[in-house]
Amino acid sequence: MPAGTTWSADADVVVVGAGVAGLAAALAAHRSGRTVVVLSKIGSTATYFAQGGIAVVLPDTDDSVEAHVRDTLAAGAGLCDADVVRSIVSDGYRAVRDLVADGARFDETRSGQWALTREGGHSTRRIIHAGGDATGAEVQRALDHAAVTLDIRRSHVVYDVLTGPGGVGGVIVGNGDGLGLIRTGAVVLATGGLGHLYSATTNPDGSTGDGIALALRAGVPVADIEFIQFHPTMLHTPQSTGCRPLISEAVRGEGAILVDARGDSVTGGVHPMGDLAPRDVVAGAIARRLRETGDRCVYLDARTIDDFAGRFPTITAACAAAGIDPTVQRIPVVPGAHYSCGGVVTDAYGQTAVPGLFAAGEVARTGMHGANRLASNSLLEGLVVGRRAGEAAAQVADRSAIAGEGHRAQPRLDRRRLQAAMTRWASVLRDGDGLRMLDAELRSCAEAPTSTPRDVEDAALTLTAQAVVAAASARTESRGCHARSDWPDPDPAFAVSLSVRPDADGCEVALPSGVPC
């Protein structure tokens, strides 16, 4: 066994993460007859907190797969893989029906007819939801119930994916008994996002870029990592830090409007879709208005929505906890780090460049989201690609090629210092001078042993931040949810994805032919 490990186990497939993509993968591998171990470091998942819903084309409606594809490609600002988008969207209804078979229940307008809402960037109502604004909680409940017989190990932190010439051979895992080795020929990374690169985020505490770091150290590139979606409307309260509630886009879909402290529209004249423009447009409009005015927040006026508490019970509760009554008060909001549009490079079935290593959900870059994710496409992608990755992992699970000792010493910047620097220089609006200062800050940290779960997270945040900064520095244009105030316009030469790999000094960007250096 690798040095330092004190216990070992075996599994056909190891899934890292227990949200929508992880459990969809685990259930698919299990139903293919494989022994599956699911590793989860914390109890909560980003899936649980998802409010809006699942974007899906239903049969016997005026909607179509091609319309959903068009909306997705438009939001993605030229960087989506159209074939991947079409493949995932086409598989959406079947994935939702499978979820219903596992016990999920969605809101209905009448028996047998799901209620549909509309969110930013969508040309029609195609968002199904549950519990008003508690879709993620219902998805997580149904998957947890279906997965009750699986071997799910909580409070387990993955330190490294071990690889050799034949591909994946195992994972180094830390738990209450110390470091251990799980031998396996197939690993599915479903670790979620990287929101805790920033001081305030809608992501739960475990969203520290773990899967990005695991993949990079295993030799797998990441792409589109500079495209971090800032949800336009995160609830603002004084000294807002850490995980903060979001105010779902569906609130604007039902008629709420964005105004500044003087009551003026934030998005008026910015985009033809106004407050229902794609998220990058709305978040950028808010950030620019706050720069102009010096205000701490803008406001979401939802006072015209009938039965707000009935339609949005989760949001009502979050507002009440902050002392706000949305039926009589405007809701203070700011953009907040929300979703990584890029990630570990995979195909539409979750396969990475390393045999036996898969990724699904927010950690993966399939080509679905491009430069900006269309609202409510995340649960859709997690369901579809999670199942596909689990089935593909089951097919290669017999491989065994234990190799390597793992990476026990890694660069690690203090988390508060890293979050403050990322928030200042790599948030909604960026520029070259700030990114250079941020790069210097990240390079200032030394290697240190990763001996605790907190160390593992901080090392992952540091490596992930280096990848983000490298790509954001190289992309000298504004596109999707990457906005450079010193390069405010898109450059046709950059209508390509940038791939990032680690090197001796941090991370290196592979610039495609024709992209300016």
Side-chain angles (χ1 to χ4, degrees):
M1 291 199 307
T5 55
T6 60
W7 58 269
S8 65
D10 296 275
D12 292 333
V13 177
V14 170
V15 177
V16 188
V20 58
L23 290 186
L27 286 166
H30 173 73
R31 289 164 179 168
S32 297
R34 294 299 190 176
T35 60
V36 181
V37 170
V38 180
L39 304 174
S40 176
K41 64 178 183 178
I42 59 173
S44 61
T45 69
T47 296
Y48 178 84
F49 292 99
Q51 291 180 353
I54 304 173
V56 61
V57 176
L58 301 183
D60 303 320
T61 67
D62 293 335
D63 199 7
S64 69
V65 166
E66 287 307 311
H68 191 172
V69 170
R70 283 195 301 273
D71 291 346
T72 300
L73 297 181
L79 294 191
C80 297
D81 183 319
D83 291 337
V84 169
V85 173
R86 187 168 291 104
S87 171
I88 293 173
V89 168
S90 297
D91 214 6
Y93 181 63
R94 182 214 52 78
V96 169
R97 295 305 309 179
D98 286 350
L99 185 64
V100 169
D102 282 330
R105 296 292 178 264
F106 295 101
D107 296 338
E108 297 180 334
T109 54
R110 63 176 184 269
S111 180
Q113 182 172 320
W114 289 331
L116 298 174
T117 192
R118 183 184 173 197
E119 295 180 347
H122 288 273
S123 56
T124 190
R125 287 178 173 257
R126 66 166 64 95
I127 316 298
I128 62 172
H129 47 82
D133 57 0
T135 307
E138 174 61 10
V139 170
Q140 190 71 55
R141 182 202 64 77
L143 290 172
D144 283 344
H145 177 75
V148 69
T149 60
L150 296 184
D151 183 357
I152 300 178
R153 305 184 186 185
R154 309 287 180 183
S155 301
H156 281 59
V157 177
V158 176
Y159 281 57
D160 267 301
V161 177
L162 302 184
T163 62
V168 166
V171 289
I172 301 294
V173 183
N175 63 12
D177 297 323
L179 280 183
L181 166 67
I182 301 180
R183 291 176 289 265
T184 182
V187 171
V188 181
L189 299 176
T191 54
L194 43 73
H196 283 268
L197 286 175
Y198 298 90
S199 298
T201 175
T202 64
N203 293 181
D205 289 342
S207 299
T208 52
D210 300 14
I212 300 295
L214 289 170
L216 285 170
R217 291 197 295 266
V220 177
V222 299
D224 296 338
I225 197 69
E226 67 271 36
F227 298 110
I228 298 170
Q229 191 176 74
F230 289 80
H231 196 287
T233 52
M234 180 178 68
L235 181 64
H236 172 76
T237 57
Q239 289 78 50
S240 297
T241 59
C243 180
R244 302 297 307 156
L246 67 82
I247 310 299
S248 170
E249 212 149 21
V251 174
R252 280 173 281 141
E254 297 297 333
I257 59 173
L258 277 167
V259 296
D260 61 19
R262 285 149 290 282
D264 296 328
S265 171
V266 174
T267 61
V270 173
H271 191 278
M273 297 179 76
D275 290 347
L276 286 175
R279 288 176 174 177
D280 64 298
V281 175
V282 180
I286 294 172
R288 291 183 183 89
R289 183 63 57 88
L290 295 179
R291 273 193 178 184
E292 293 167 1
T293 63
D295 295 336
R296 298 291 301 277
C297 64
V298 296
Y299 296 88
L300 194 60
D301 191 342
R303 291 175 292 183
T304 61
I305 297 177
D306 293 334
D307 189 25
F308 185 93
R311 175 64 179 87
F312 301 109
T314 305
I315 294 171
T316 300
C319 288
I324 300 162
D325 180 353
T327 64
V328 297
Q329 296 171 276
R330 300 180 303 181
I331 306 169
V333 294
V334 293
H338 181 57
Y339 193 89
S340 175
C341 298
V344 181
V345 176
T346 76
D347 62 16
Y349 294 83
Q351 175 67 63
T352 74
V354 171
L357 183 58
F358 301 83
E362 187 174 354
V363 71
R365 182 269 182 195
T366 61
M368 175 74 173
H369 306 304
N372 188 36
R373 174 179 67 96
L374 184 66
S376 287
N377 269 354
S378 52
L379 290 177
L380 168 71
E381 185 190 38
L383 285 171
V384 171
V385 182
R387 177 188 60 81
R388 292 176 176 181
E391 291 175 347
Q395 293 176 8
V396 303
D398 291 328
R399 181 187 300 106
S400 181
I402 296 297
E405 294 292 321
H407 303 74
R408 300 307 310 282
Q410 298 154 12
R412 193 170 74 244
L413 191 65
D414 173 77
R415 186 177 303 197
R416 297 287 186 188
R417 184 176 161 192
L418 181 147
Q419 289 172 333
M422 288 291 291
T423 299
R424 181 177 181 184
W425 290 314
S427 192
V428 179
L429 300 176
R430 307 161 179 177
D431 62 56
D433 289 341
L435 290 169
R436 282 188 286 273
M437 288 187 281
L438 179 52
D439 181 64
E441 183 88 354
L442 292 168
R443 290 177 185 273
S444 71
C445 63
E447 287 192 351
T450 50
S451 54
T452 69
R454 177 85 175 189
D455 292 345
V456 174
E457 290 186 338
D458 287 352
L461 284 168
T462 302
L463 180 54
T464 301
Q466 290 173 335
V468 170
V469 173
S473 299
R475 186 171 289 280
T476 52
E477 64 156 0
S478 290
R479 181 180 297 272
C481 53
H482 167 77
R484 289 278 299 257
S485 58
D486 51 347
W487 299 91
D489 298 317
D491 182 344
F494 275 99
V496 292
S497 294
L498 302 182
S499 177
V500 181
R501 292 179 182 270
D503 64 14
D505 297 321
C507 285
E508 179 184 25
V509 178
L511 291 176
S513 175
V515 171
C517 299

